[in-house]
Amino acid sequence: MPLAAAPRPLLPLWAAVAASLASGLLLTTAFPSLSWWPVVFVSVPLALVGLIGRRSWSAVLVGFAFGAAFFFVNLSFTARYLGPVPWIALSMLEATITAALAVLIALAYRWTPRVLPGAWGRLVVLPALVAGLWTLREEVLGTFPYGGFPWGRLGISQANGPLADVASWVGVSGLSFLVVLVCAAAVEYARLGRWRDLRTALPVAIAIVALVLPPQFPTSAGGTIRVGAVQGNGPTGYFDERSRNDVLNAQLAATAPLFGEDIDVLLWPEGGIDSDPTQNDSTAAVLDALSERLGAPLLVSAVTQRGDDYFNSSLLWRAGAHNPVDTYDKRHPVPFGEYVPDRWLYRMFAPDLIDLIQREYTPGTSSPEFDVDGVGVGLAICFDVIYDDVIWEGARDGAEVYMFQTNNADFRGTNENLQQLAFARMRAIETGRSVVNLSTVGTSQVIAADGTTIDGLPADTAGHMLTDVPLRTGLTPAVVAGAGIKAFLAWGSLAALVVIGGVVGVRRRADAKTPAPEGTGVGPSE
């Protein structure tokens, strides 16, 4: 079969760049603080139409326009205290990766119709391939370089909307895939233009049903745990002025109203202790006394040192025990925030900023789950919550509830805390578990397994929550098969694109060897 002609660009280059800029800016509104989740169904098609028919270098430009417009706004919180350099560097990196991988989506639009020129190839195979390659792009952004930064994933934009339930079946990456699938299928349906043939609307309709109809996967109720969660609002920012134990004292002051209450565990946020209780006897004595007075174990957080290594740690502390009873060390320390990879290289460009980061935090290897008097508690410290592996491992290891500890003080006055809270909400829905998301400075919330808010504290306020938090058991398909689903969608799509590209190459060579009929003046198809 002769190779079909390559599709022409749907938009001129200037219009494609403009559409991509508009797409990226629109997409930022789907995330907190606005959380206009339906906007994705306008933004994603705008991002896709600019790539249809594009060759590689123009696809890079169009992809960069989308990535820059999105990330420079979405990640603007990174400039809050450290100025424009980290913000520009991170946004440019994310936009560059987005641009490079836009080429794959453009190739899918060029190659697939040449191999499968029929209506069903365009309506079924092409949208699925495009959605898979978008998922691959999110996977690469979330793993490369230095462990990646999976912020701004399309699925997270749905955390506050009615479509989040499907994440309990297919995970956040699967939700991203389904959103793009609906958009890409709608674009192809519109391009095909066979409005009277209702069969051509079937792929779009099936994609919408797969996205909209699945209810949240059910997990089983398992009682409650009474959690006292304390937001001290102390001076926990990198540049906050403070004296010795100011943070600890702020947490103690905000905890005092809980004295005499019946609680099962006291939760403090990341950075709620400004000294290492495993090395400092006076701090350890304070925690011992606090646990004894409350009659409950403590789940606290501090920077700990073992040998020459530093860790950002969650500590389970109990009066009269050999403390800490258990330790979880942050699995994903933040590059250029908690350690500096290739310090020698980056110091040449920004020595003052790089030298601010004195400690080099070591990634943890322990299970993100504690046994608290027979209750499995899943853990994540700050940006750990954006990484799938930590959350899924906690559920598989027996978590019946999650307690996320975070410190958002370096981003006061921005929407970073609300964006991170959206991750926490999605994790509750994805795993079918309640989440206690506790910040040093807010916003802190207790979130039910269905994503609804049970309790909360506003930002920049000292206070506490005393909440009977529901426990749940059973694993969702996202927890059991999420890694496989993500790999299949992302890397399977790349493999499919390679196969389709190979077919294009073989047919092109075959067409080149086939002489045109005499007298027609027609050459081989391009």
Side-chain angles (χ1 to χ4, degrees), residues 354-440:
I354 295 301
D355 288 346
L356 284 173
I357 305 165
Q358 296 296 319
R359 289 173 175 165
E360 296 280 336
Y361 289 87
T362 302
T365 57
S366 56
S367 169
E369 188 264 349
F370 286 167
D371 183 320
V372 180
D373 292 337
V375 174
V377 176
L379 306 165
I381 301 175
C382 200
F383 284 171
D384 265 351
V385 72
I386 71 179
Y387 293 91
D388 295 335
D389 63 316
V390 176
I391 307 304
W392 294 342
E393 184 178 335
R396 290 195 298 266
D397 287 350
E400 301 165 76
V401 62
Y402 284 99
M403 299 186 189
F404 298 156
Q405 299 162 295
T406 185
N407 176 14
N408 307 106
D410 284 328
F411 308 112
R412 287 180 190 262
T414 74
N415 64 9
E416 183 275 341
N417 64 321
L418 297 178
Q419 289 199 55
Q420 188 174 331
L421 190 63
F423 273 94
R425 192 176 312 281
M426 182 59 78
R427 296 310 188 184
I429 296 168
E430 180 186 42
T431 63
R433 302 288 192 277
S434 299
V435 168
V436 184
N437 188 82
L438 182 64
S439 170
T440 49

Coordinates of all heavy atoms in Angstrom, one line a residue, residues 354-440:
I354 N 24.0 28.9 45.9 CA 24.4 27.5 46.2 C 25.0 27.4 47.6 O 24.7 26.4 48.3 CB 25.4 27.0 45.1 CG1 24.7 27.0 43.7 CG2 26.0 25.7 45.5 CD1 23.5 26.1 43.7
D355 N 25.7 28.4 48.0 CA 26.3 28.4 49.3 C 25.3 28.5 50.5 O 25.7 28.2 51.6 CB 27.4 29.5 49.5 CG 28.7 29.1 48.6 OD1 28.8 28.0 48.2 OD2 29.5 30.0 48.4
L356 N 24.1 29.0 50.2 CA 23.1 29.0 51.2 C 22.7 27.6 51.7 O 22.3 27.5 52.8 CB 21.8 29.7 50.6 CG 21.9 31.2 50.5 CD1 20.6 31.7 49.8 CD2 22.0 31.9 51.8
I357 N 22.9 26.6 50.8 CA 22.5 25.3 51.1 C 23.7 24.6 51.7 O 24.6 24.1 50.9 CB 21.9 24.5 49.9 CG1 20.8 25.4 49.3 CG2 21.5 23.1 50.2 CD1 20.4 25.0 47.9
Q358 N 23.9 24.5 53.0 CA 25.0 24.0 53.6 C 24.9 22.5 53.9 O 25.9 21.7 53.6 CB 25.3 24.7 55.0 CG 25.6 26.2 54.9 CD 26.9 26.4 54.1 OE1 27.9 25.8 54.3 NE2 26.8 27.5 53.3
R359 N 23.8 22.0 54.3 CA 23.6 20.6 54.5 C 23.3 19.9 53.3 O 22.6 20.4 52.4 CB 22.5 20.4 55.6 CG 22.9 20.8 57.0 CD 21.6 20.7 57.9 NE 22.0 20.9 59.3 CZ 21.1 21.2 60.2 NH1 19.8 21.2 59.9 NH2 21.4 21.4 61.4
E360 N 23.7 18.6 53.2 CA 23.4 17.7 52.1 C 22.5 16.6 52.7 O 23.0 15.7 53.3 CB 24.6 17.2 51.4 CG 25.5 18.2 50.8 CD 25.0 18.7 49.4 OE1 24.3 17.9 48.8 OE2 25.3 19.8 49.0
Y361 N 21.2 16.7 52.4 CA 20.3 15.7 53.0 C 20.4 14.4 52.2 O 20.5 14.4 50.9 CB 18.9 16.1 53.0 CG 18.6 17.2 54.0 CD1 18.8 18.5 53.7 CD2 18.1 16.9 55.3 CE1 18.5 19.5 54.6 CE2 17.9 17.8 56.2 CZ 18.1 19.2 55.9 OH 17.8 20.1 56.8
T362 N 20.4 13.2 52.9 CA 20.5 11.9 52.3 C 19.2 11.3 52.1 O 18.3 11.4 53.0 CB 21.4 11.0 53.2 OG1 22.7 11.6 53.4 CG2 21.5 9.6 52.6
P363 N 18.9 10.8 50.9 CA 17.6 10.1 50.7 C 17.3 9.0 51.6 O 18.3 8.2 51.9 CB 17.6 9.7 49.2 CG 18.7 10.4 48.6 CD 19.7 10.7 49.7
G364 N 16.1 8.8 52.1 CA 15.8 7.7 53.0 C 15.5 6.4 52.3 O 15.2 6.5 51.1
T365 N 15.6 5.3 53.0 CA 15.3 4.0 52.4 C 14.3 3.2 53.2 O 13.9 2.2 52.7 CB 16.6 3.2 52.3 OG1 17.2 3.1 53.6 CG2 17.6 3.9 51.4
S366 N 13.8 3.7 54.3 CA 12.9 3.0 55.2 C 11.5 3.1 54.7 O 11.2 3.9 53.9 CB 13.0 3.5 56.6 OG 12.7 4.9 56.7
S367 N 10.6 2.2 55.2 CA 9.2 2.1 54.8 C 8.5 3.4 55.2 O 8.7 3.9 56.4 CB 8.6 0.9 55.4 OG 7.1 1.0 55.2
P368 N 7.7 4.0 54.3 CA 6.9 5.2 54.7 C 5.6 4.8 55.5 O 4.5 5.2 55.1 CB 6.6 5.8 53.4 CG 6.5 4.7 52.4 CD 7.5 3.7 52.9
E369 N 5.8 4.0 56.5 CA 4.6 3.6 57.3 C 5.1 3.3 58.7 O 6.1 2.7 58.9 CB 4.0 2.3 56.6 CG 2.7 1.9 57.2 CD 2.9 0.8 58.3 OE1 4.0 0.2 58.4 OE2 1.9 0.5 59.0
F370 N 4.3 3.8 59.7 CA 4.5 3.5 61.1 C 3.3 2.7 61.6 O 2.2 2.9 61.2 CB 4.6 4.8 61.9 CG 5.9 5.6 61.8 CD1 5.9 6.9 62.3 CD2 7.0 5.0 61.2 CE1 7.1 7.6 62.1 CE2 8.2 5.8 61.1 CZ 8.2 7.1 61.5
D371 N 3.6 1.8 62.6 CA 2.6 1.2 63.4 C 2.4 2.0 64.7 O 3.3 2.0 65.5 CB 3.0 -0.3 63.7 CG 1.9 -1.0 64.5 OD1 1.3 -0.5 65.3 OD2 1.7 -2.2 64.2
V372 N 1.3 2.6 64.8 CA 1.0 3.5 65.9 C -0.1 2.8 66.7 O -1.3 2.9 66.4 CB 0.5 4.9 65.5 CG1 0.2 5.8 66.7 CG2 1.6 5.6 64.6
D373 N 0.3 2.0 67.7 CA -0.6 1.3 68.6 C -1.6 0.5 67.7 O -2.8 0.4 68.0 CB -1.4 2.3 69.5 CG -0.5 2.9 70.5 OD1 0.5 2.3 70.8 OD2 -0.9 4.0 71.0
G374 N -1.0 -0.2 66.8 CA -1.9 -1.1 65.9 C -2.5 -0.5 64.7 O -3.2 -1.2 64.0
V375 N -2.3 0.8 64.5 CA -2.9 1.5 63.4 C -1.8 1.8 62.4 O -0.7 2.4 62.8 CB -3.6 2.8 63.8 CG1 -4.0 3.5 62.5 CG2 -4.8 2.5 64.7
G376 N -1.9 1.4 61.1 CA -0.9 1.7 60.1 C -1.1 3.1 59.6 O -2.1 3.5 59.2
V377 N 0.0 3.9 59.8 CA 0.0 5.3 59.4 C 1.0 5.5 58.3 O 2.2 5.3 58.4 CB 0.4 6.2 60.6 CG1 0.5 7.7 60.1 CG2 -0.6 6.1 61.7
G378 N 0.5 5.9 57.1 CA 1.3 6.2 56.0 C 1.9 7.6 56.1 O 1.3 8.5 56.6
L379 N 3.1 7.8 55.6 CA 3.9 9.0 55.8 C 4.4 9.6 54.4 O 4.6 8.9 53.5 CB 5.1 8.7 56.7 CG 4.8 8.0 58.0 CD1 6.1 7.5 58.6 CD2 4.2 9.0 58.9
A380 N 4.5 10.9 54.4 CA 5.2 11.6 53.4 C 5.6 13.0 54.0 O 4.8 13.6 54.7 CB 4.3 11.9 52.2
I381 N 6.8 13.4 53.7 CA 7.3 14.6 54.2 C 7.4 15.6 53.0 O 8.1 15.4 52.0 CB 8.7 14.4 54.8 CG1 8.7 13.4 55.9 CG2 9.3 15.8 55.3 CD1 10.0 13.1 56.5
C382 N 6.6 16.7 53.1 CA 6.6 17.8 52.2 C 6.4 17.3 50.7 O 5.5 16.6 50.4 CB 7.9 18.6 52.3 SG 7.7 20.3 51.6
F383 N 7.4 17.5 49.9 CA 7.3 17.2 48.4 C 7.3 15.7 48.2 O 7.1 15.2 47.0 CB 8.4 17.9 47.6 CG 8.1 19.3 47.4 CD1 9.1 20.1 46.8 CD2 6.9 19.9 47.8 CE1 8.8 21.5 46.6 CE2 6.6 21.3 47.6 CZ 7.6 22.1 47.0
D384 N 7.5 14.8 49.2 CA 7.3 13.4 49.0 C 5.9 13.1 48.5 O 5.7 12.1 47.8 CB 7.5 12.7 50.4 CG 8.8 12.1 50.6 OD1 9.7 12.1 49.7 OD2 9.1 11.7 51.8
V385 N 5.0 14.0 48.8 CA 3.6 13.7 48.4 C 3.4 13.7 46.9 O 2.4 13.1 46.4 CB 2.7 14.7 49.1 CG1 2.8 16.1 48.5 CG2 1.2 14.3 49.1
I386 N 4.3 14.3 46.2 CA 4.1 14.4 44.7 C 4.6 13.2 44.0 O 4.4 13.1 42.8 CB 4.7 15.7 44.2 CG1 6.2 15.7 44.2 CG2 4.1 16.9 44.9 CD1 6.8 17.0 43.6
Y387 N 5.3 12.3 44.7 CA 5.9 11.1 44.1 C 5.0 9.9 44.4 O 4.8 9.6 45.6 CB 7.3 10.9 44.6 CG 8.3 12.0 44.2 CD1 8.5 13.1 45.0 CD2 9.0 11.9 43.0 CE1 9.3 14.2 44.6 CE2 9.8 12.9 42.6 CZ 10.0 14.0 43.4 OH 10.9 15.0 43.0
D388 N 4.6 9.2 43.3 CA 3.7 8.1 43.5 C 4.3 7.0 44.3 O 3.6 6.3 45.1 CB 3.4 7.5 42.1 CG 2.7 8.5 41.2 OD1 2.0 9.3 41.7 OD2 2.7 8.3 40.0
D389 N 5.6 6.7 44.2 CA 6.2 5.5 44.9 C 6.0 5.6 46.4 O 5.7 4.5 47.0 CB 7.7 5.3 44.5 CG 8.5 6.5 44.9 OD1 8.1 7.7 44.7 OD2 9.7 6.2 45.4
V390 N 6.2 6.7 47.0 CA 6.1 6.9 48.4 C 4.7 6.6 48.9 O 4.5 5.8 49.9 CB 6.5 8.3 48.9 CG1 6.3 8.4 50.4 CG2 8.0 8.5 48.5
I391 N 3.7 7.1 48.2 CA 2.3 6.9 48.6 C 1.9 5.5 48.4 O 1.3 4.9 49.3 CB 1.4 7.9 47.8 CG1 1.9 9.3 47.9 CG2 0.0 7.8 48.2 CD1 2.1 9.9 49.3
W392 N 2.1 4.9 47.3 CA 1.7 3.6 47.0 C 2.4 2.6 48.0 O 1.8 1.6 48.4 CB 2.0 3.2 45.6 CG 1.2 4.0 44.6 CD1 0.1 4.7 44.8 CD2 1.5 4.1 43.2 NE1 -0.4 5.3 43.7 CE2 0.5 5.0 42.6 CE3 2.5 3.7 42.3 CZ2 0.5 5.3 41.3 CZ3 2.5 4.0 41.0 CH2 1.5 4.8 40.5
E393 N 3.7 2.8 48.2 CA 4.4 1.9 49.1 C 3.8 1.9 50.5 O 3.6 0.9 51.2 CB 5.9 2.2 49.2 CG 6.7 1.2 50.0 CD 8.2 1.6 50.0 OE1 8.6 2.2 49.0 OE2 8.9 1.2 51.0
G394 N 3.4 3.1 51.0 CA 2.8 3.2 52.3 C 1.5 2.4 52.4 O 1.3 1.7 53.4
A395 N 0.7 2.5 51.4 CA -0.6 1.7 51.4 C -0.3 0.3 51.4 O -0.9 -0.5 52.1 CB -1.5 2.2 50.2
R396 N 0.6 -0.2 50.6 CA 0.9 -1.6 50.5 C 1.5 -2.1 51.8 O 1.4 -3.3 52.1 CB 1.9 -1.9 49.3 CG 1.2 -1.7 47.9 CD 2.1 -2.3 46.8 NE 3.4 -1.6 46.8 CZ 3.7 -0.6 46.0 NH1 2.8 -0.1 45.2 NH2 4.9 -0.1 45.9
D397 N 2.2 -1.3 52.5 CA 2.9 -1.7 53.8 C 1.9 -1.7 54.9 O 2.3 -2.0 56.0 CB 4.1 -0.8 54.1 CG 5.3 -1.1 53.2 OD1 5.2 -2.1 52.4 OD2 6.2 -0.3 53.2
G398 N 0.6 -1.3 54.7 CA -0.4 -1.4 55.7 C -1.0 -0.1 56.2 O -1.7 -0.1 57.2
A399 N -0.7 1.0 55.6 CA -1.3 2.3 56.0 C -2.9 2.2 55.9 O -3.4 1.9 54.9 CB -0.8 3.4 55.2
E400 N -3.5 2.7 57.0 CA -4.9 2.8 57.1 C -5.3 4.3 57.1 O -6.5 4.6 56.9 CB -5.5 2.2 58.4 CG -5.2 0.7 58.5 CD -5.4 0.1 59.9 OE1 -6.6 0.0 60.3 OE2 -4.4 0.0 60.6
V401 N -4.4 5.1 57.2 CA -4.6 6.6 57.2 C -3.2 7.2 56.8 O -2.2 6.6 57.1 CB -5.1 7.1 58.6 CG1 -4.0 6.8 59.7 CG2 -5.4 8.6 58.5
Y402 N -3.2 8.4 56.2 CA -2.0 9.1 55.9 C -1.8 10.3 56.8 O -2.8 11.0 57.1 CB -1.9 9.5 54.5 CG -1.7 8.4 53.5 CD1 -2.7 7.8 52.8 CD2 -0.4 7.9 53.2 CE1 -2.5 6.8 51.9 CE2 -0.1 6.9 52.4 CZ -1.2 6.3 51.7 OH -0.9 5.3 50.8
M403 N -0.6 10.6 57.2 CA -0.3 11.8 57.9 C 0.9 12.4 57.2 O 2.0 11.9 57.3 CB 0.0 11.5 59.4 CG -1.2 10.9 60.1 SD -0.9 10.7 61.9 CE -2.4 9.7 62.3
F404 N 0.6 13.5 56.5 CA 1.7 14.2 55.7 C 2.2 15.4 56.5 O 1.4 16.2 56.9 CB 1.1 14.7 54.4 CG 0.6 13.6 53.5 CD1 -0.4 13.8 52.5 CD2 1.1 12.3 53.6 CE1 -0.8 12.8 51.7 CE2 0.6 11.3 52.7 CZ -0.3 11.6 51.8
Q405 N 3.5 15.5 56.7 CA 4.1 16.6 57.4 C 4.8 17.5 56.4 O 5.6 17.0 55.6 CB 5.1 16.0 58.4 CG 4.5 15.1 59.5 CD 5.6 14.3 60.2 OE1 6.2 13.4 59.5 NE2 5.7 14.5 61.5
T406 N 4.5 18.8 56.5 CA 5.1 19.7 55.5 C 5.4 21.1 56.2 O 4.9 21.4 57.2 CB 4.2 19.9 54.3 OG1 4.9 20.7 53.3 CG2 2.9 20.6 54.7
N407 N 6.4 21.8 55.6 CA 6.7 23.1 56.0 C 6.7 24.0 54.8 O 7.5 24.0 53.9 CB 8.1 23.1 56.6 CG 8.6 24.5 57.0 OD1 7.8 25.5 57.1 ND2 9.9 24.7 57.3
N408 N 5.7 24.9 54.8 CA 5.5 25.8 53.6 C 5.9 27.2 53.9 O 5.5 28.2 53.2 CB 4.0 25.8 53.2 CG 3.4 24.4 52.9 OD1 2.7 23.9 53.7 ND2 3.8 23.8 51.8
A409 N 6.7 27.4 55.0 CA 7.0 28.8 55.4 C 7.8 29.6 54.4 O 7.7 30.8 54.3 CB 7.8 28.7 56.7
D410 N 8.6 28.9 53.5 CA 9.4 29.6 52.5 C 8.5 30.1 51.4 O 9.0 30.8 50.5 CB 10.5 28.7 52.0 CG 11.6 28.6 53.0 OD1 11.9 29.6 53.7 OD2 12.3 27.5 53.1
F411 N 7.2 29.7 51.4 CA 6.3 30.1 50.3 C 5.1 30.9 50.8 O 4.1 30.9 50.1 CB 5.9 28.9 49.5 CG 7.1 28.0 49.0 CD1 7.3 26.7 49.5 CD2 7.9 28.5 48.1 CE1 8.3 26.0 49.1 CE2 9.0 27.7 47.7 CZ 9.2 26.4 48.2
R412 N 5.3 31.5 51.9 CA 4.1 32.3 52.5 C 3.7 33.3 51.4 O 4.5 33.9 50.7 CB 4.6 33.0 53.7 CG 4.8 32.2 55.0 CD 5.2 33.1 56.1 NE 5.7 32.4 57.3 CZ 4.9 32.2 58.4 NH1 3.6 32.6 58.4 NH2 5.4 31.6 59.4
G413 N 2.4 33.5 51.4 CA 1.8 34.5 50.5 C 1.7 34.0 49.0 O 1.3 34.8 48.2
T414 N 2.0 32.8 48.7 CA 1.8 32.2 47.4 C 0.8 31.1 47.4 O 0.2 30.8 48.5 CB 3.1 31.6 46.9 OG1 3.4 30.4 47.5 CG2 4.3 32.6 47.1
N415 N 0.5 30.5 46.3 CA -0.4 29.4 46.2 C 0.2 28.0 46.3 O -0.4 27.0 46.1 CB -1.3 29.5 44.9 CG -0.4 29.3 43.7 OD1 0.8 28.9 43.7 ND2 -1.0 29.5 42.5
E416 N 1.5 28.0 46.7 CA 2.2 26.7 46.8 C 1.5 25.8 47.8 O 1.4 24.6 47.5 CB 3.7 27.0 47.2 CG 4.5 25.7 47.2 CD 4.4 25.0 48.6 OE1 4.0 25.6 49.6 OE2 4.8 23.8 48.6
N417 N 1.1 26.3 48.9 CA 0.5 25.4 49.9 C -0.8 24.8 49.4 O -1.1 23.7 49.7 CB 0.3 26.2 51.2 CG -0.7 27.3 51.1 OD1 -0.7 28.0 50.1 ND2 -1.6 27.5 52.1
L418 N -1.5 25.6 48.6 CA -2.8 25.1 48.1 C -2.6 24.1 46.9 O -3.3 23.1 46.8 CB -3.7 26.2 47.6 CG -4.1 27.2 48.6 CD1 -4.9 28.4 48.0 CD2 -4.9 26.5 49.7
Q419 N -1.5 24.3 46.1 CA -1.2 23.3 45.1 C -0.7 22.0 45.8 O -1.1 20.9 45.3 CB 0.0 23.8 44.2 CG -0.5 25.0 43.3 CD 0.5 25.1 42.1 OE1 0.8 24.2 41.4 NE2 1.0 26.3 42.0
Q420 N 0.0 22.1 46.8 CA 0.5 20.9 47.5 C -0.7 20.2 48.2 O -0.8 19.0 48.2 CB 1.5 21.2 48.6 CG 2.2 20.0 49.2 CD 3.3 20.4 50.1 OE1 4.0 21.4 50.0 NE2 3.5 19.5 51.1
L421 N -1.7 21.0 48.7 CA -2.9 20.4 49.3 C -3.7 19.7 48.3 O -4.3 18.7 48.6 CB -3.7 21.6 49.9 CG -4.9 21.2 50.8 CD1 -4.4 20.4 52.0 CD2 -5.6 22.4 51.2
A422 N -3.7 20.1 47.0 CA -4.4 19.4 46.0 C -3.8 18.0 45.8 O -4.5 17.0 45.5 CB -4.3 20.2 44.7
F423 N -2.5 17.9 45.9 CA -1.8 16.6 45.8 C -2.3 15.7 47.0 O -2.6 14.5 46.8 CB -0.3 16.7 45.9 CG 0.4 16.9 44.6 CD1 0.7 18.2 44.1 CD2 0.7 15.8 43.8 CE1 1.3 18.3 42.9 CE2 1.3 16.0 42.6 CZ 1.7 17.3 42.1
A424 N -2.4 16.3 48.2 CA -2.9 15.5 49.3 C -4.3 15.0 49.1 O -4.6 13.9 49.4 CB -2.8 16.4 50.6
R425 N -5.1 15.9 48.6 CA -6.5 15.5 48.3 C -6.6 14.4 47.3 O -7.4 13.5 47.4 CB -7.3 16.8 47.8 CG -8.8 16.6 47.8 CD -9.5 17.9 47.4 NE -9.1 19.0 48.2 CZ -9.4 19.3 49.4 NH1 -10.3 18.5 50.1 NH2 -8.9 20.3 50.1
M426 N -5.8 14.5 46.2 CA -5.8 13.5 45.2 C -5.3 12.2 45.8 O -5.8 11.1 45.4 CB -5.0 13.9 44.0 CG -5.0 12.9 42.9 SD -6.6 12.6 42.2 CE -6.9 14.0 41.2
R427 N -4.3 12.2 46.7 CA -3.8 11.0 47.3 C -4.9 10.3 48.1 O -4.9 9.1 48.2 CB -2.6 11.3 48.1 CG -1.4 11.8 47.4 CD -1.0 11.0 46.2 NE 0.2 11.4 45.5 CZ 0.7 10.9 44.4 NH1 0.0 9.9 43.8 NH2 1.9 11.3 43.9
A428 N -5.7 11.1 48.8 CA -6.8 10.5 49.6 C -7.8 9.7 48.6 O -8.1 8.6 48.9 CB -7.6 11.6 50.3
I429 N -8.1 10.4 47.5 CA -9.0 9.7 46.6 C -8.4 8.5 45.9 O -9.0 7.5 45.8 CB -9.5 10.8 45.5 CG1 -10.3 11.9 46.2 CG2 -10.3 10.1 44.4 CD1 -10.5 13.1 45.3
E430 N -7.2 8.7 45.5 CA -6.4 7.6 44.8 C -6.3 6.4 45.6 O -6.4 5.2 45.1 CB -5.1 8.2 44.4 CG -4.2 7.2 43.6 CD -2.8 7.8 43.4 OE1 -2.2 8.4 44.3 OE2 -2.3 7.6 42.3
T431 N -6.0 6.5 46.9 CA -5.7 5.4 47.8 C -6.9 4.9 48.6 O -6.9 3.9 49.2 CB -4.6 5.7 48.7 OG1 -5.0 6.8 49.6 CG2 -3.3 6.1 48.0
G432 N -8.0 5.8 48.6 CA -9.1 5.4 49.5 C -8.8 5.5 51.0 O -9.3 4.8 51.8
R433 N -8.0 6.5 51.3 CA -7.5 6.7 52.7 C -7.7 8.1 53.1 O -7.6 9.1 52.3 CB -6.0 6.4 52.9 CG -5.6 5.0 52.5 CD -6.0 4.0 53.5 NE -5.4 2.7 53.3 CZ -5.8 1.7 52.5 NH1 -6.8 2.0 51.6 NH2 -5.2 0.6 52.4
S434 N -8.1 8.4 54.4 CA -8.1 9.7 54.9 C -6.7 10.2 55.0 O -5.7 9.5 55.1 CB -8.7 9.8 56.3 OG -10.0 9.3 56.3
V435 N -6.5 11.6 54.9 CA -5.2 12.2 54.9 C -5.3 13.3 55.9 O -6.2 14.2 55.9 CB -4.8 12.8 53.6 CG1 -3.6 13.7 53.7 CG2 -4.5 11.7 52.6
V436 N -4.3 13.4 56.9 CA -4.1 14.5 57.7 C -2.9 15.3 57.1 O -1.7 14.8 57.2 CB -3.8 14.2 59.2 CG1 -3.7 15.4 60.0 CG2 -4.9 13.3 59.7
N437 N -3.1 16.4 56.5 CA -2.1 17.2 55.8 C -1.7 18.4 56.8 O -2.5 19.3 56.9 CB -2.5 17.7 54.5 CG -1.4 18.3 53.7 OD1 -0.6 17.7 53.1 ND2 -1.3 19.7 53.7
L438 N -0.6 18.3 57.4 CA -0.3 19.3 58.5 C 1.0 20.1 58.1 O 2.0 19.6 57.8 CB 0.0 18.6 59.8 CG 0.3 19.5 61.0 CD1 -0.9 20.4 61.3 CD2 0.7 18.7 62.2
S439 N 0.8 21.4 58.1 CA 1.9 22.4 57.7 C 2.3 23.2 59.0 O 1.5 23.4 59.9 CB 1.4 23.3 56.6 OG 2.3 24.4 56.4
T440 N 3.5 23.6 59.0 CA 4.0 24.5 60.0 C 3.2 25.8 60.0 O 2.9 26.4 61.1 CB 5.5 24.9 59.8 OG1 5.6 25.3 58.5 CG2 6.3 23.7 60.1

